[in-house]
């Protein structure tokens, strides 16, 4: 900065001086010329005043008169002398002190008489700067009879010029000084100061201390830099925290799964193979907001789990490009390198028409398969046109996948969810060497329930194209195997949990999905106690209460939201002492509102909340707060940490991540989980209060039980559940799934033999 300042000072001084000098020079030259013109006209006036009298005396030969005339007229400002000369250049009258015979004068007079005109010059006489004017004198008949010489001292013009130069130099110096000072102050305020503060901020980020970012004014021109620094610091913190976690785990001899460990593990397992992930939802969505393109990461554990793997092996994620600015951000091959702040893998976007999205996603997947797989008493709707779109979209993804795989010899493909039941077969038929797994995130129904689907055989056949099918829990695997046994010609191997069909083996295994623990996410740590978090939330929402229960879901008819509200109602009826004290906050992200059943359900939830509130509310207290919007991860963490109880009362759920997120967020080891027995999570989290959500009054009782539970029991239960979630976190899930897929021996046609390990679930 010092060198920059000196350079600036030097450049400004030289620049300003040159500009000032040039303009001063012009100004002074103009003034000097004006003074000279002024002196010239002064000499002309003197000559004009004397000429007539001098001509008269000269014509009459009156030399005394001439002498008197010059002596009388020779005493004026700056006038050095006057002289009158005859036609032969002889001096007839001179003022005292004027040496009239100098050659320069003689020549001047000669020229004036010869040309019969006034001639003036600036010259030097005996080291003195003078102005000379020679004017011809004429007789009556206009013949030249002599000349008049007027000599002025012109030295004062130089003196005046020097004086002006002096002023100008002074002005110039003051100007340079002021401008340099202002520039230095601006550098200090706008450059040195902010840079120093940004440097302090960066140092704090580097050393992992709490860092308050500099103000917007400070960041102003450093904004492009700050935009890079934020993600850089985040990656550094993540790396540091991962390293600390790894070191901690090594010291404690624990084998907890981390993003880094997962990445290493998968790199080893994959060897030279490349990884391809297919899902309906993309990990990064580009959307237009106020003329700019914003990128968002949809709230999903899937991105957390799969991103480290894809980054580690430079894989490819193929998904539906659903953002309204998605098309603008891909290259000619519909590719985009992500994550945006540190591009490490490829996102390939697949485009669907509105009709395709309607039929495949809203129609067949969400109005057909979703209610088919969940026992929630909503009738599945199967339309032939939706099926056609479902088939066509699966084909479209298969084409995209095959294009991406290219000449890859042993690709490993991980397909996500019920949107792509046909994809495994479509892929395997064309690339038999591909290792293909599909993970089914929702429950699998009983054979009797599944049989109502008109395309049951096609769906099963499509799925059995995979080498591995994953469900959350064993019960769903069993339902699937039973369904295959009943509907298709195949051999189900109950010992190895696999299906042999047309000489191809498919392993069917449970992989319970999980979450990342906030201790892995530095920014999720909070310094506030649960009590403080609660007070803040109540104040934000403008309500008064003491005890807090929460529910967080997509507004979906499988999540048991209405039954949950009724359980709260039953609890308040039975325990009136909690009226005015217990508030239940339901955070409900609007979901699939395009579908009539979902739009109706949304209104039903609102109506039920209003009915119960109208019955009990008073003053600033109300029993139910329904926040019907998407929240970001940090806001959800806030609610998780504040709540005495979290209620997960799904009527049927593959796993339910909210139950695990609540446990993961409770670093204080407080809080009680009320969990539906119909969730996959209930198979793992035995320390929750397990309820039947259809039994509203029993669920209401469980609220009372939770609120009255002994604090030491709360801590014990929470501690055990945290241990379980920590051990079986999201990285463990991904490692188990990919590990199992890579361990399977791909059978060649005609030489089929199952090598599915009996239990590949636990990867250590
Ligand atoms: P979902 O039925 O969507 O998924 P669930 O497990 O309940 O899944 O997870 C929902 C996710 O959305 C959670 O991460 C939750 O935090 C988030 N979420 C809910 N409401 C929100 C809101 N208002 N704002 C922001 N985020 C919100 C399917 C299956 C599940 C299975 C998952 C994962 O139905 O059984 O657990 O996939 O496999």
């Amino acid at each position: 900065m010092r060198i920059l300042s000196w350079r600036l000072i030097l450049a400004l001084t030289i620049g300003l001086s040159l500009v000032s000098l040039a303009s001063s020079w012009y100004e002074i030259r103009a003034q000097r010329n004006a003074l000279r013109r002024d002196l010239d006209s002064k000499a002309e006036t003197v000559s004009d005043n004397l000429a007539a009298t001098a001509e008269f005396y000269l014509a009459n030969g009156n030399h005394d008169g001439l002498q008197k005339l010059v002596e009388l007229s020779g005493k004026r400002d700056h006038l050095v002398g006057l002289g009158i000369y005859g036609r032969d250049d002889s001096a007839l009258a001179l003022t005292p002190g004027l040496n009239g015979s100098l050659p320069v004068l003689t020549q001047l007079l000669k020229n004036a008489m010869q040309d019969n005109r006034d001639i003036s010059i600036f010259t030097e006489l005996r080291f003195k700067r003078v102005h000379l004017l020679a004017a011809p004198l004429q007789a009556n008949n206009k013949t030249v009879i002599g000349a008049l010489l007027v000599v002025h001292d012109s030295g004062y013009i130089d003196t005046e010029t020097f004086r002006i130069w002096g002023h100008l130099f002074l002005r110039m110096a003051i100007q340079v000084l002021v401008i340099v000072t202002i520039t230095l102050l601006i550098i200090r305020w706008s450059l040195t100061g902010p840079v120093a503060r940004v440097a302090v901020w960066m140092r704090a980020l580097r050393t992992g201390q709490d860092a308050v970012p500099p103000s917007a004014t400070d960041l102003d021109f450093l904004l492009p830099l700050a935009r890079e620094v934020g993600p850089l610091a985040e990656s550094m913190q993540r790396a540091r925290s991962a390293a600390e976690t790894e070191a901690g785990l090594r010291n404690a001899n624990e084998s907890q799964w981390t993003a880094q460990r997962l990445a290493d593990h998968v790199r080893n397992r994959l060897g030279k193979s490349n990884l391809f992930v297919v899902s309906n939802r993309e990990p990064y969505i580009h959307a237009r907001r106020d003329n700019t393109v914003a990128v968002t990461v949809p709230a999903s554990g899937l991105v957390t789990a799969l991103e480290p793997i894809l980054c580690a092996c430079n894989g490819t994620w193929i998904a539906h490009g659903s953002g309204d600015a998605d098309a603008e951000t891909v290259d000619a091959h519909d590719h985009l390198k992500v994550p945006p702040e540190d591009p490490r893998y490829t996102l390939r976007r697949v485009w669907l028409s509105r009709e395709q999205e309607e039929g495949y996603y809203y129609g067949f997947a969400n109005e057909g398969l979703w209610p088919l797989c969940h026992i929630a008493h909503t009738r599945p709707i199967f339309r032939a046109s939706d099926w056609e779109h479902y088939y066509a979209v699966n084909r479209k993804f298969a084409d995209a996948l095959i294009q991406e795989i290219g000449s890859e010899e042993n690709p490993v493909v991980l397909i996500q969810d019920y949107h792509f039941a046909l994809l495994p077969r479509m892929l395997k038929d064309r690339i038999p060497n591909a290792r293909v797994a599909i993970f089914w995130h929702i429950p699998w129904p009983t054979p009797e329930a599944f049989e109502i689907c008109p395309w049951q055989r096609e769906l099963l056949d499509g799925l059995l194209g995979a080498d591995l099918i994953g469900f959350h829990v064993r019960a769903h695997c069993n339902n699937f195997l039973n369904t295959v046994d009943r509907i298709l010609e195949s051999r189900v191997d109950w010992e190895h949990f696999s299906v042999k069909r047309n000489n191809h083996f498919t392993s069917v295994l449970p992989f319970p999905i999980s979450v990342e623990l906030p201790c892995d996410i530095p920014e999720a740590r909070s310094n506030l106690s649960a009590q403080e978090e609660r007070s803040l939330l109540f104040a934000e929402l403008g309500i008064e209460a003491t005890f807090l229960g929460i529910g967080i879901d997509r507004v979906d008819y499988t999540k048991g939201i209405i039954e949950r509200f009724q359980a709260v109602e039953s609890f308040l009826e039975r325990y009136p002492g909690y009226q005015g004290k217990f508030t239940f906050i339901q955070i409900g992200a609007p979901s699939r509102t395009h579908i009539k059943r979902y739009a109706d359900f949304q209104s039903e939830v609102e109506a039920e909340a209003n009915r119960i509130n109208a019955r009990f509310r008073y003053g600033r207290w109300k029993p139910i707060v329904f926040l019907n919007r998407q929240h970001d991860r940090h806001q959800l963490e806030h609610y998780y940490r504040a709540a005495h109880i979290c209620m997960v009362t799904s009527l049927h759920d593959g796993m339910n991540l909210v139950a695990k997120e609540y446990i993961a967020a409770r670093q204080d080891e407080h809080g009680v989980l009320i969990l539906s027995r119909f969730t996959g999570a209930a198979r793992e989290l035995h320390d929750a209060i397990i309820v039947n959500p259809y039994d509203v009054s029993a669920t209401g009782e469980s609220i009372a039980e939770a609120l009255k539970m002994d604090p030491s029991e709360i801590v014990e239960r929470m501690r055990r559940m945290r241990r379980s979630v920590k051990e079986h976190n999201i990285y463990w899930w991904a490692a188990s799934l990919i590990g199992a897929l890579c361990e399977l021996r791909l059978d060649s046609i005609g030489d089929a033999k199952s090598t599915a390990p009996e239990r590949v679930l636990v990867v250590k």
Side-chain angles (χ1 to χ4, degrees):
M1 225 27 105
R2 204 165 279 170
I3 292 180
L4 175 71
S5 304
W6 278 115
R7 281 186 186 156
L8 256 174
I9 292 174
L10 206 67
L12 278 172
T13 311
I14 294 174
L16 285 170
S17 304
L18 284 177
V19 171
S20 281
L21 278 176
S23 74
S24 303
W25 184 75
Y26 272 110
E27 199 179 313
I28 287 171
R29 205 173 68 142
Q31 289 226 23
R32 191 182 164 84
N33 286 343
L35 284 172
R36 288 172 81 140
R37 273 196 306 279
D38 187 45
L39 187 58
D40 217 24
S41 73
K42 220 185 238 173
E44 288 279 357
T45 312
V46 172
S47 135
D48 288 349
N49 290 345
L50 295 183
T53 317
E55 280 169 351
F56 175 76
Y57 286 144
L58 191 60
N60 296 321
N62 184 351
H63 290 193
D64 288 345
L66 289 174
Q67 187 59 39
K68 267 197 195 118
L69 182 68
V70 295
E71 278 172 16
L72 277 176
S73 311
K75 291 171 188 148
R76 296 177 193 214
D77 240 6
H78 305 302
L79 193 62
V80 174
L82 287 169
I84 295 173
Y85 292 80
R87 187 69 182 93
D88 55 355
D89 308 332
S90 55
L92 303 176
L94 292 174
T95 48
L98 180 68
N99 181 354
S101 58
L102 291 171
V104 60
L105 299 180
T106 320
Q107 187 57 47
L108 186 73
L109 290 164
K110 217 179 237 165
N111 291 345
M113 283 190 283
Q114 205 168 324
D115 299 347
N116 194 12
R117 66 179 177 89
D118 293 358
I119 298 178
S120 67
I121 57 166
F122 282 90
T123 185
E124 213 167 85
L125 280 186
R126 295 208 197 107
F127 311 112
K128 201 170 180 182
R129 310 276 305 161
V130 290
H131 172 262
L132 305 177
L133 172 77
L137 296 172
Q138 297 167 341
N140 283 344
N141 59 1
K142 300 288 174 201
T143 53
V144 175
I145 52 172
L148 173 66
L149 177 70
V150 183
V151 183
H152 272 104
D153 177 4
S154 69
Y156 76 94
I157 294 180
D158 292 337
T159 315
E160 184 62 14
T161 307
F162 283 128
R163 197 185 58 79
I164 297 173
W165 269 120
H167 278 172
L168 284 174
F169 271 123
L170 190 67
R171 204 171 72 190
M172 205 165 76
I174 292 172
Q175 222 172 46
V176 169
L177 195 72
V178 169
I179 291 178
V180 165
T181 312
I182 290 174
T183 310
L184 286 179
L185 285 177
I186 290 174
I187 290 181
R188 201 181 168 77
W189 288 331
S190 315
L191 212 69
T192 329
V195 167
R197 286 189 284 276
V198 169
V200 170
W201 172 54
M202 285 169 71
R203 191 177 314 127
L205 289 175
R206 178 170 59 78
T207 50
Q209 293 163 11
D210 280 346
V212 183
S215 66
T217 1
D218 274 354
L219 285 181
D220 184 26
F221 72 100
L222 295 170
L223 207 58
L225 210 65
R227 275 202 202 106
E228 291 300 316
V229 170
L232 188 77
E234 235 171 67
S235 328
M236 267 176 59
Q237 280 200 16
R238 233 178 282 128
R240 182 180 297 119
S241 142
E244 279 168 9
T245 312
E246 290 290 339
L249 291 174
R250 259 197 310 279
N251 288 343
N253 241 343
E254 275 190 48
S255 57
Q256 190 189 320
W257 281 89
T258 59
Q260 187 55 49
R261 188 174 161 201
L262 170 64
D264 292 346
H265 173 80
V266 171
R267 228 186 334 239
N268 277 339
R269 287 298 163 103
L270 287 178
K272 288 194 178 125
S273 303
N274 262 344
L275 179 67
F276 299 85
V277 169
V278 185
S279 71
N280 173 69
R281 177 92 65 89
E282 54 183 340
Y284 293 93
I285 302 177
H286 287 88
R288 266 210 171 275
R289 272 195 217 137
D290 309 329
N291 287 336
T292 56
V293 173
V295 56
T296 52
V297 182
S300 136
L302 216 56
V303 182
T304 315
L306 298 179
E307 193 145 76
I309 313 175
L310 285 157
C311 285
C313 60
N314 189 17
T316 304
W317 190 323
I318 299 159
H320 169 212
S322 57
D324 60 11
D326 274 355
E328 296 168 39
T329 44
V330 292
D331 65 14
H333 305 286
D334 299 326
H335 285 166
L336 174 71
K337 278 281 185 188
V338 286
E341 71 282 359
D342 179 20
R344 307 266 289 281
Y345 69 95
T346 305
L347 169 60
R348 159 76 193 269
R349 283 175 171 150
V350 175
W351 313 112
L352 301 181
S353 68
R354 188 181 285 256
E355 293 74 35
Q356 281 175 328
E357 200 181 348
E358 253 335 300
Y360 136 86
Y361 179 74
Y362 290 108
F364 196 78
N366 284 317
E367 283 190 290
L369 290 180
W370 178 268
L372 178 75
C373 292
H374 289 91
I375 310 167
H377 314 290
T378 289
R379 189 187 161 143
I381 299 171
F382 291 112
R383 302 180 193 93
S385 57
D386 289 348
W387 166 252
E388 276 161 26
H389 282 304
Y390 187 80
Y391 184 91
V393 170
N394 271 249
R395 172 69 66 201
K396 196 167 198 175
F397 271 81
D399 291 342
L401 187 52
I402 286 159
Q403 201 179 31
E404 294 304 321
I405 290 173
S407 55
E408 181 75 35
E409 286 204 347
N410 299 301
V412 174
V413 180
L414 207 53
I415 301 168
Q416 300 298 320
D417 233 352
Y418 61 101
H419 312 95
F420 297 114
L422 307 179
L423 186 51
R425 166 74 58 217
M426 289 175 174
L427 179 63
K428 267 295 215 195
D429 282 350
R430 286 155 80 181
I431 309 184
N433 278 347
R435 271 175 193 275
V436 182
I438 180 162
F439 189 80
W440 197 263
H441 287 258
I442 60 177
W444 189 272
T446 58
E448 295 77 12
F450 189 74
E451 264 181 330
I452 66 168
C453 176
W455 295 279
Q456 52 191 279
R457 296 181 66 80
E458 287 84 343
L459 289 172
L460 289 177
D461 178 63
L463 284 166
L464 289 173
D467 302 297
L468 175 64
I469 302 176
F471 292 98
H472 289 301
V473 295
R474 172 72 65 201
H476 301 155
C477 298
N478 293 348
N479 280 352
F480 179 79
L481 291 172
N482 275 324
T483 310
V484 171
D485 211 9
R486 183 154 161 165
I487 296 173
L488 288 186
E489 253 178 56
S490 59
R491 187 163 68 77
V492 173
D493 179 346
W494 285 98
E495 196 182 333
H496 295 103
F497 292 95
S498 68
V499 179
K500 181 187 176 195
R501 185 159 186 268
N502 300 334
N503 285 331
H504 175 252
F505 283 89
T506 302
S507 287
V508 181
L509 295 167
F511 300 94
I513 202 166
S514 192
V515 296
E516 187 184 24
L517 242 69
C519 62
D520 303 334
I521 320 166
E523 56 273 31
R525 290 178 192 144
S526 167
N527 298 325
L528 299 179
S529 70
Q531 172 67 50
E532 288 165 330
E533 301 258 17
R534 258 192 312 276
S535 307
L536 272 176
L537 280 183
F538 287 144
E540 264 169 37
L541 298 170
I543 49 172
E544 264 171 21
T546 314
F547 300 101
L548 174 64
I550 56 158
I552 297 177
D553 308 82
R554 284 183 303 101
V555 180
D556 190 300
Y557 53 81
T558 60
K559 301 291 181 186
I561 301 173
I562 290 183
E563 288 76 2
R564 199 176 303 165
F565 288 176
Q566 289 168 353
V568 171
E569 180 182 29
S570 162
F571 160 71
L572 292 174
E573 260 169 17
R574 239 191 267 175
Y575 298 91
Y578 282 101
Q579 289 179 23
K581 291 186 183 155
F582 177 80
T583 288
F584 184 78
I585 299 178
Q586 174 64 47
I587 297 178
S591 173
R592 306 171 193 167
T593 43
H594 218 60
I595 298 172
K596 185 171 179 315
R597 177 70 185 98
Y598 280 83
D600 291 348
F601 184 69
Q602 168 89 22
S603 316
E604 287 163 25
V605 171
E606 274 165 28
E608 197 61 2
N610 290 341
R611 183 187 65 76
I612 297 168
N613 279 338
R615 184 174 165 199
F616 291 101
R617 71 182 301 165
Y618 64 82
R620 292 184 64 203
W621 172 80
K622 59 176 171 176
I624 295 174
V625 177
F626 179 37
L627 302 176
N628 188 202
R629 57 174 186 273
Q630 184 82 19
H631 284 58
D632 69 31
R633 193 102 308 253
H634 298 306
Q635 288 172 314
L636 291 188
E637 294 283 339
H638 197 24
Y639 282 93
Y640 283 137
R641 287 193 301 261
H644 287 101
I645 56 176
C646 174
M647 294 183 76
V648 174
T649 56
S650 312
L651 305 180
H652 201 189
D653 218 328
M655 172 54 66
N656 195 292
L657 291 178
V658 172
K660 293 189 175 178
E661 286 168 5
Y662 179 58
I663 294 166
R666 296 314 298 246
Q667 284 168 291
D668 63 353
E669 299 179 332
H670 280 75
V672 180
L673 175 66
I674 294 176
L675 182 60
S676 159
R677 53 186 288 203
F678 305 121
T679 59
R683 319 258 165 163
E684 293 175 68
L685 305 172
H686 306 293
D687 283 293
I689 302 181
I690 306 291
V691 295
N692 170 2
Y694 290 94
D695 188 344
V696 165
S697 68
T699 311
E701 263 317 313
S702 73
I703 301 176
E705 185 188 341
L707 293 177
K708 290 176 183 167
M709 194 179 281
D710 188 73
S712 62
E713 188 183 344
I714 293 179
V715 170
E716 253 175 59
R717 284 176 180 241
M718 186 51 86
R719 200 171 278 165
R720 278 197 293 266
M721 291 194 287
R722 279 179 65 77
R723 207 176 300 134
S724 161
V725 173
K726 197 170 170 185
E727 205 173 309
H728 301 125
N729 63 13
I730 184 75
Y731 303 117
W732 168 84
W733 172 81
S736 303
L737 184 59
I738 294 191
L741 178 61
C742 293
E743 263 172 29
L744 292 178
R745 203 190 81 196
L746 293 196
D747 33 69
S748 49
I749 311 286
D751 176 28
K753 191 168 183 208
S754 169
T755 55
E758 193 175 339
R759 184 172 168 81
V760 285
L761 181 59
V762 180
V763 179
K764 288 283 181 191

